[in-house]
Amino acid sequence: MDVVCNTVTNGCFARLANTTDKLDIFFWRNDPITCKNSMTSRNVSWNEHSKWFEKMQKSNSNYLIICSSLSGSSIGLVRFSKNRSNAKISINIAPEKRGKRLGQACLKSSEILFSKLEPKVKLLVADVKKSNIVSQNLFTKMGFELAFEHSDIYTFQKSIG
């Protein structure tokens, strides 16, 4: 089932991922820049990805949200992992869409959709590698504040709702 966000943000709308997105997400995940910036920096096999994707689709606490342009072209993926009143959030812009300043619109439209799906969640938490300046800047521009610093990771938080 596709759920489209009622609010289009800068030409971007959000919907829940479905099986037609599985291959795109696999390629985005194994992109060299994604691997470098991911908490798990190695490539994943198709079998690993398939098991993970199916687990995410069946979960009541994990949301894979695809951001798309108005023409239907996929921009990226925002993942939310809910835990009571907070959720971990991560973003992965499609390699061919990077550098086009689409991250803010993607993140905003995904937050709106997630808030509709999980209105009790009041805090978003993002872990970002210290070497990932682009994501640090994105989360900061979107109202996240630095909350913790680990060895090579910054944790950003944002109150919502």
Side-chain angles (χ1 to χ4, degrees):
M1 170 181 80
D2 287 352
V3 177
V4 178
C5 183
N6 290 334
T7 305
V8 175
T9 305
N10 294 337
C12 178
F13 67 90
R15 63 171 174 80
L16 292 174
N18 60 48
T19 54
T20 63
D21 302 304
K22 185 176 174 180
L23 186 61
D24 282 341
I25 295 169
F26 174 71
F27 286 123
W28 299 344
R29 168 58 185 90
N30 284 329
D31 173 74
I33 292 172
T34 300
C35 287
K36 176 185 168 199
N37 291 318
S38 176
M39 296 301 156
T40 306
S41 297
R42 66 175 179 78
N43 281 3
V44 297
S45 69
W46 176 252
N47 188 41
E48 287 175 291
H49 174 72
S50 294
K51 287 178 183 176
W52 170 85
F53 188 84
E54 288 170 24
K55 180 181 170 186
M56 293 294 112
Q57 292 290 287
K58 292 177 183 175
S59 172
N60 291 326
S61 59
N62 292 291
Y63 296 86
L64 301 177
I65 297 178
I66 296 291
C67 303
S68 300
S69 67
L70 294 177
S71 67
S73 173
S74 294
I75 295 170
L77 171 74
V78 180
R79 186 176 103 190
F80 293 86
S81 297
K82 180 185 71 157
N83 181 6
R84 294 189 183 140
S85 64
N86 66 54
K88 285 255 188 180
I89 182 174
S90 62
I91 185 169
N92 186 4
I93 300 298
E96 67 276 9
K97 301 292 184 180
R98 291 184 188 138
K100 298 181 180 184
R101 305 183 91 36
L102 298 169
Q104 289 183 51
C106 184
L107 199 53
K108 181 65 177 173
S109 62
S110 297
E111 281 182 30
I112 292 168
L113 175 56
F114 179 74
S115 292
K116 289 178 180 181
L117 297 169
E118 291 291 345
K120 292 182 180 176
V121 171
K122 301 299 178 198
L123 183 70
L124 298 179
V125 179
D127 289 331
V128 179
K129 284 186 174 180
K130 288 183 179 178
S131 60
N132 188 349
I133 306 300
V134 172
S135 286
Q136 290 173 40
N137 289 337
L138 172 62
F139 283 110
T140 300
K141 285 178 185 173
M142 294 304 297
F144 285 73
E145 295 181 357
L146 181 62
F148 305 104
E149 182 177 340
H150 312 281
S151 57
D152 67 336
I153 297 170
Y154 290 127
T155 298
F156 294 88
Q157 295 181 346
K158 177 181 179 179
S159 294
I160 60 172

